[in-house]
Structures are given as structure tokens and as C-alpha cells.
Amino acid sequence: MVISQPVKVELRRLLLHKRQSMNLKEWQEKSRLICSHLQASSPFTQAKTILTYFSFRQEPDLSALFTAKKNWGFPRCINQSLNWHLWHPGNDTRIGDYGILEPLPCAPLIKANEVDLILVPAVACDIRGYRLGYGGGFYDRLLSSAEWKSKPTIGIVFDFAYLPQLPIETWDIPLHIVCTETGLKMMQ
Ligand SMILES: Nc1nc2c(c(=O)[nH]1)N(C=O)[C@@H](CNc1ccc(C(=O)N[C@@H](CCC(=O)O)C(=O)O)cc1)CN2
Ligand SMILES: Nc1ncnc2c1ncn2[C@@H]1O[C@H](COP(=O)(O)OP(=O)(O)OP(=O)(O)O)[C@@H](O)[C@H]1O
């Protein structure tokens, strides 16, 4: 647990560098492929309310999905946790913590019992579904709480960040599915 921290810090640095050195065309094309795999998947077609994210630091851009007829939820960082607000294309956004776009604080809140699917941003995922994030622990805390534990989760990464094995911590909870530009990978 203690020794995995420097490994995670270095891995995060390398993978973020790799992601941010993609050119615009490559980023757009791979993001488009990720969106089309998601759109064709049954967790997506069956879901009414989906939690997602606004792309930051060249994360896969899912914005092509947001015109689909779903209730879309986006996070706001409040203290150590995430609040989820309804947002539709055309609604206002603002720049929140860490420089990430977020819905306005007055946008309607989404409760856990309304949520069918969570699209989880990641720096990397492994073939067991474990995830490396930015180190804030936001999704680890969310997914460890009783009301969120059983929600279907899809980690979203480019293929170069889909790895055989990430260092894990006691609190890490594996995701159910990972989606890259080559398709969906179901965890055992
Ligand atoms: N698009 C998107 N939105 C998201 C997340 C995400 O991963 N992607 N989050 C997922 O959780 C939350 C934001 N989490 C974040 C956590 C840390 C840093 C960050 O910049 N950390 C510093 C290091 C801070 C430290 O080590 O103490 C850094 O990386 O430089 C950014 C976002 C909510 N919104
Ligand atoms: N279930 C939890 N309860 C309380 N604290 C937690 C929990 N999960 C993680 N943390 C705290 O969050 C910190 C960051 O965790 P970690 O390095 O795994 O984040 P990450 O998954 O990379 O980040 P993020 O989820 O924000 O993208 C840890 O140091 C830990 O103290």
C-alpha cells in the first residue's frame, strides 16, 4: 500500500504525458470510436440516467453522446465528494475545481436511486477493471458507499492506457466494463 504510491505517481505522470501528446485528429477519431462502441452497447441503450464527465486533459471526449435522449448527470466536487447535476446540451456550464467544466450549482441534483450507468473517467484501467485516477479518491469514495456500490460502471480510456496490471490499494473497487477505441471489455 505504501510502496505503490510512488509507482502510481510515476505511472500517472507517464500516461498523462502520453495522452496529452496525442494530436487533435487522433484524439477526435479515437473519441468518436469510443462513443460509437458505447452507443451500440446494451448498458447504454437500456439506461435512462447516465453519469458522465466533461473531458479534461485530453480524456476521451464523450460529448457526441450528450445529444442522445438520456438524463445526463455531471459532477461537481464538493469537499471530498461528488454531487451530480442534470445537464443537457445548451444549458450553462462554469469552470469548477481543477479547471473542469461543471453544471451550475442550481441545476437539479440527481439521486443515486435514479442512476442506471456511470461512465468513469480514468488515467488508466487494467484488465481486472481496476482504475488509476488523478489521485483525489473521488470515484473510490463514491463507489464504496452503499447506495452506489451496485451501479454498473464503464471505465473510459484510450487503448494505450488499458494495462495488464495496475498497483491496487485496499479501497480500490474494480469497474464492471472498460471501453476503449477498440471496443468494450467485460470484466470477469
Ligand atoms: N473530466 C473529469 N471530471 C472529473 C474527474 C475526472 O477524473 N475527470 N474527477 C475524478 O475524480 C473529479 C475531479 N478529480 C480530480 C482530482 C485531482 C485533480 C488534480 O489535478 N490533481 C493534482 C494533484 C493533486 C494532489 O496530488 O494532491 C494533479 O493531478 O496535478 C484533478 C481532478 C470530478 N470531475
Ligand atoms: N473509500 C474511501 N474512503 C475514504 N478515503 C478514500 C477512499 N478511497 C480512496 N480514499 C482516499 O483517496 C485518496 C486517493 O486515492 P487514489 O490514489 O486511489 O485515487 P484515484 O482513484 O487515483 O483518484 P480519483 O478517483 O479522484 O480519480 C487515497 O489517499 C485515500 O486516502
Side-chain angles (χ1 to χ4, degrees):
M1 194 161 109
V2 178
I3 58 162
S4 70
Q5 278 308 330
V7 177
K8 283 172 62 169
V9 169
E10 183 60 8
L11 203 53
R12 192 178 280 130
R13 194 184 66 77
L14 283 170
L15 289 165
L16 286 177
H17 179 77
K18 184 148 185 175
R19 195 167 75 191
Q20 294 200 258
S21 44
M22 291 172 84
N23 68 41
L24 185 66
K25 238 181 134 189
E26 190 186 355
W27 175 68
Q28 287 173 330
E29 177 58 13
K30 289 180 175 173
S31 295
R32 190 188 65 76
L33 286 168
I34 288 174
C35 289
S36 58
H37 294 306
L38 287 171
Q39 210 147 16
S41 72
S42 67
F44 184 92
T45 55
Q46 286 170 19
K48 284 203 179 93
T49 300
I50 305 180
L51 304 186
T52 184
Y53 62 87
F54 289 115
S55 170
F56 157 74
R57 295 183 176 157
Q58 290 220 144
E59 288 168 336
D61 178 10
L62 301 185
S63 58
L65 296 175
F66 304 158
T67 50
K69 277 211 168 311
K70 307 283 181 189
N71 297 319
W72 290 104
F74 292 79
R76 293 183 60 237
C77 298
I78 303 293
N79 303 320
Q80 293 301 308
S81 56
L82 299 175
N83 281 5
W84 296 93
H85 295 262
L86 260 186
W87 184 90
H88 292 286
N91 291 0
D92 283 340
T93 51
R94 66 176 209 182
I95 297 188
D97 289 0
Y98 311 107
I100 307 177
L101 277 185
E102 61 178 35
L104 300 187
C106 60
L109 276 169
I110 299 179
K111 293 193 286 292
N113 64 9
E114 299 170 306
V115 172
D116 302 310
L117 177 65
I118 312 179
L119 304 179
V120 183
V123 175
C125 289
D126 77 12
I127 59 173
R128 302 166 298 173
Y130 287 107
R131 164 182 177 276
L132 177 71
Y134 295 117
F138 288 100
Y139 282 90
D140 295 316
R141 277 189 297 274
L142 183 84
L143 298 174
S144 68
S145 70
E147 72 233 90
W148 293 101
K149 231 180 193 127
S150 58
K151 299 293 178 186
T153 48
I154 307 184
I156 312 291
V157 286
F158 294 117
D159 219 48
F160 67 77
Y162 181 56
L163 303 176
Q165 191 167 356
L166 285 169
I168 59 169
E169 317 269 7
T170 49
W171 56 76
D172 282 328
I173 296 171
L175 305 170
H176 300 109
I177 301 175
V178 174
C179 183
T180 79
E181 66 273 24
T182 62
L184 264 69
K185 294 101 181 35
M186 311 294 172
M187 303 303 123
Q188 308 312 323

